[in-house]
Amino acid sequence: MLSAVTDSMADRTGRTLEEWVALVAGSGVDPLDQNAVRRWLREVHGVKQNSQWAIADAAATAAGWVRPSVEDYIDGQFTGKKAALRPVFDAVRTAALALGDDVTVEGRGTIVPFVRRRQFAVTATTTSRIDLGLRFRDPPASTRLTPATAPGQATHKLALHTVADVDDEVRTLLRTAYEQNG
């Protein structure tokens, strides 16, 4: 999607991506503060959201920022009080990746999506649990599932406190979400 946005940048905004990056560099806005860059683009230039993201990313990269790897994003979620929950996440990841060779793990600042053709599962970590979000077209019966609008694209979620919580029922729920999103 990002390449489609950048390819049509001049048509949509009147400037090429390179021209926007140069404008950001001369604006006085810290190019490494992507939130500030997006806000400036929106408020001063009326740039739409997808273009804001593409320009802010390109400006930060030009200023020396390196996008974290998936593992960097994941490691960043399990520091301090959340570090004890890393084995729970690892159990979920192992179960999700075992579903098929077409499963990918994506990195985000606060969630970890698991994607097939589209996101079928996602984890979000609090200080006391991991919320496992699952996307269902036809949700299975389970007393552990609650309706959800987050994290990610989840339609339902459940709380995981220990590795033992990642049991056969959770693996079955993951498989069902995987199969419904393939």
Side-chain angles (χ1 to χ4, degrees), residues 2 5-6 9 17 20-21 24-25 29-42 47-65 67:
L2 193 56
V5 171
T6 58
M9 184 73 66
L17 183 60
W20 279 112
V21 169
V24 169
V29 177
D30 179 1
L32 297 176
D33 184 346
Q34 292 187 39
N35 288 330
V37 171
R38 289 191 302 271
R39 187 173 41 256
W40 177 77
L41 289 166
R42 180 181 60 252
V47 175
K48 302 287 186 203
Q49 185 175 15
N50 286 346
S51 297
Q52 291 169 27
W53 283 88
I55 295 165
D57 181 80
T61 300
W65 178 71
R67 179 177 304 285

Side-chain angles (χ1 to χ4, degrees), residues 140-165:
S142 172
T143 58
R144 292 171 72 180
L145 288 175
T146 59
T149 57
Q153 298 175 11
T155 60
H156 293 78
K157 67 180 178 180
L158 58 110
L160 304 170
H161 299 275
T162 68
V163 172
D165 290 340

